[in-house]
Amino acid sequence: MGKETSASAGIVLSGLAKSYGPVKAVRGIDLTITPGETVALLGPNGAGKSTTIDMILGLAQPNAGRVTVFGMPPATAVASGRIGGMLQTGSLVEYLTVRELVEMVASMYPHPLDVHQVLEATGTSAFAGQRTTGLSGGQTQRVRFALALVANPDLLVLDEPTAALDVEARRDFWSSMRSVAQRGKTVLFATHYLEEADAYADRIVLMARGRVIADGPSTEIKAKVGGRTIRATLPGVDGSALEALPGVTAVDRRGEAVVLSCGDSDAALRALLATYPVARDIEVRGAGLEEAFIQLVGDDEEMEEVEGS
Ligand SMILES: Nc1ncnc2c1ncn2[C@@H]1O[C@H](COP(=O)(O)OP(=O)(O)OP(=O)(O)O)[C@@H](O)[C@H]1O
Ligand SMILES: [Mg+2]
């Protein structure tokens, strides 16, 4: 991608790093997000997702490297209303009603959306007359979303937007997000819900220990860990005999069942049935995002031990 520093580039992170005292929260990230993309940021607790987001929003200053948003420094992009942010923590301005707060924020930007429409779209109309201090966690989260949206930004940056929401509210949230994304907005969100990333993001960026360890469409991330698994009921057969079958990379016995991790599940299945015709209840499964996530993060940890850094 090279020198995409012009306004046509969406978010560009280059060599980005941030430490808090001895803690290296972000350790060198290079990432370009194209306008119109919806990107999910995944990673275990402490991976550096929020720190990265805070730097994109201009709330934390990098120790090294830089961030540009639409060719501008974050603070400029935020001040001009081009970025809407939703943070993981922080309380709402007190002593205002929800509507007053959304109106106040709208008045700070040059091209805000219609407040009434935003309240409707974010499911906050029902309690718009209520003070912000008395809201539930999920209601607060919806108000945060309304505040991010009302400036009519080109880029939405959302840190765990659905963390406090119940199942129905999560579904509502994503359906309003989808209509936002369809309007050509760029969206970056951090989440721990792998199924959300799978369902709503064009692209997944997986972080661990302050680095990006995988980046691509969810199908590609799943394919990275390749393998399928074969599960079958097969009592009394030795694990090492199963491991010797063609296409099998690892064997896990769970009571009478065996789980074969496979490099080539077709070859493995043929060999399994030919060698052990008594095998039954056979299931073949592709790796899900969760398996991919666990394996990729696990591999990164192993690498870390080898490198000793
Ligand atoms: N203000 C801060 N002061 C000191 N250390 C911090 C601060 N913010 C983050 N850290 C540390 O930086 C690392 C990365 O934290 P960060 O909040 O970015 O992770 P995260 O990926 O968002 O995790 P989570 O999934 O738990 O939200 C952690 O080790 C954390 O303890
Ligand atoms: Mg976080």
Side-chain angles (χ1 to χ4, degrees), residues 45-46 48-51 88 159-160 190 192:
N45 290 136
K49 303 181 296 296
S50 295
T51 305
Q88 193 172 5
D159 199 352
E160 300 194 29
H192 284 288

Side-chain angles (χ1 to χ4, degrees), residues 236-306:
V237 175
D238 189 42
S240 60
L242 291 169
E243 209 162 324
L245 293 175
V248 175
T249 53
V251 177
D252 187 16
R253 177 166 280 293
R254 295 175 195 170
E256 298 216 318
V258 289
V259 179
L260 313 179
S261 304
C262 305
D264 181 346
S265 57
D266 296 333
L269 185 57
R270 285 193 193 99
L272 177 72
L273 286 170
T275 321
Y276 306 103
V278 295
R280 58 193 160 83
D281 309 327
I282 297 172
E283 288 171 27
V284 182
R285 289 185 45 199
L289 198 53
E290 183 150 3
E291 283 90 357
F293 179 92
I294 290 165
Q295 185 173 331
L296 290 167
V297 171
D299 287 352
D300 180 70
E301 279 170 17
E302 270 173 35
M303 200 110 102
E304 195 78 10
E305 277 158 28
V306 174

